[in-house]
């Protein structure tokens, strides 16, 4: 399955949670009608709008502790409302999943990011100070003689 690693897609707890998000996307579908799904298979969701809708049952804690599961649940619900119910968009998503991107999620200072947050959902705010192009780095080259097929390798140290 595109969204979940296990086969518990119809698990009652998971299904009930997906239904909450389904109702959110169904009631707010007009906010997402202009999404550019063909360029990026994602929908941007305001975290504050989730809270205002009434999805407060420790949503932030759930997202922090189990972000992949919660975002996958949101993704299934968004897919059902925004793609399945709009036949014109279905060909774009035959083998791709619709990802949910949250914004306005509470940020934490960079100095507080430690190993205990590994695998957790965190949001940081910052400024880009420098941008450069990606430069390919050659670490080893092999030369082959076209006459005798002998080869010689050279490891390059930066």
């Amino acid at each position: 399955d595109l969204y979940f690693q296990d086969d518990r897609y119809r698990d009652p707890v998971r299904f009930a949670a997906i239904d909450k998000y389904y109702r959110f996307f169904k009631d707010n579908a007009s906010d997402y009608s202009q999404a550019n799904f063909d360029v990026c298979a994602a929908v941007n969701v305001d975290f504050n709008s989730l809270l205002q809708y009434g999805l407060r049952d420790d949503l932030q804690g759930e997202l922090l502790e189990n972000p992949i599961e919660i975002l996958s649940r949101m993704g299934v619900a968004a897919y059902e409302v925004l793609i399945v119910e709009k036949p014109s968009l279905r060909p774009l998503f035959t083998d791709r999943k619709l990802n949910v991107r949250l914004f306005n999620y509470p940020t934490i200072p960079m100095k507080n990011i430690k190993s205990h947050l590994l695998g957790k959902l965190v949001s940081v705010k910052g400024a880009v100070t420098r941008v450069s192009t990606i430069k390919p780095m050659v670490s080893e080259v092999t030369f082959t003689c076209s006459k005798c097929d002998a080869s010689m390798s050279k490891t390059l140290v930066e």
Side-chain angles (χ1 to χ4, degrees):
D1 186 75
L2 290 174
Y3 289 94
F4 302 107
Q5 298 297 323
D6 56 28
D7 58 353
R8 297 178 313 130
Y9 183 79
R10 294 289 179 199
D11 175 53
V13 174
R14 184 181 277 169
F15 192 74
I18 291 170
D19 188 57
K20 289 188 312 187
Y21 301 121
Y22 177 85
R23 283 183 271 121
F24 168 79
F25 285 109
K26 187 79 168 168
D27 292 345
N28 296 289
S30 62
D31 295 344
Y32 304 104
S33 63
Q34 298 301 316
N36 198 358
F37 297 125
D38 57 338
V39 174
C40 182
V43 60
N44 296 322
V45 176
D46 185 355
F47 181 73
N48 293 328
S49 67
L50 289 168
L51 296 178
Q52 289 170 358
Y53 186 75
L55 299 172
R56 296 179 181 265
D57 300 336
D58 196 31
L59 179 61
Q60 186 174 349
E62 289 178 2
L63 277 165
L64 176 69
E65 292 302 320
N66 200 357
I68 294 173
E69 175 72 21
I70 303 304
L71 291 172
S72 292
R73 291 174 181 177
M74 289 183 193
V76 168
Y79 182 87
E80 290 293 321
V81 172
L82 304 174
I83 306 302
V84 172
E85 296 182 7
K86 293 184 180 178
S88 63
L89 293 175
R90 284 188 206 154
L92 298 173
F93 288 91
T94 54
D95 60 350
R96 298 188 326 177
K97 73 181 208 177
L98 182 62
N99 293 302
V100 172
R101 294 180 180 167
L102 293 177
F103 64 95
N104 288 331
Y105 186 75
T107 60
I108 63 170
M110 292 288 280
K111 66 181 179 181
N112 293 348
I113 297 178
K114 306 286 187 223
S115 62
H116 71 283
L117 293 174
L118 189 64
K120 312 289 188 213
L121 179 66
V122 296
S123 177
V124 295
K125 188 185 293 187
V128 177
T129 56
R130 184 180 358 175
V131 177
S132 66
T133 60
I134 298 172
K135 299 173 187 167
M137 185 174 98
V138 176
S139 58
E140 183 177 352
V141 294
T142 302
F143 301 98
T144 305
C145 177
S146 59
K147 290 184 180 179
C148 67
D149 260 352
S151 61
M152 179 179 84
S153 296
K154 176 74 174 164
T155 302
L156 305 174
V157 180
E158 176 111 1

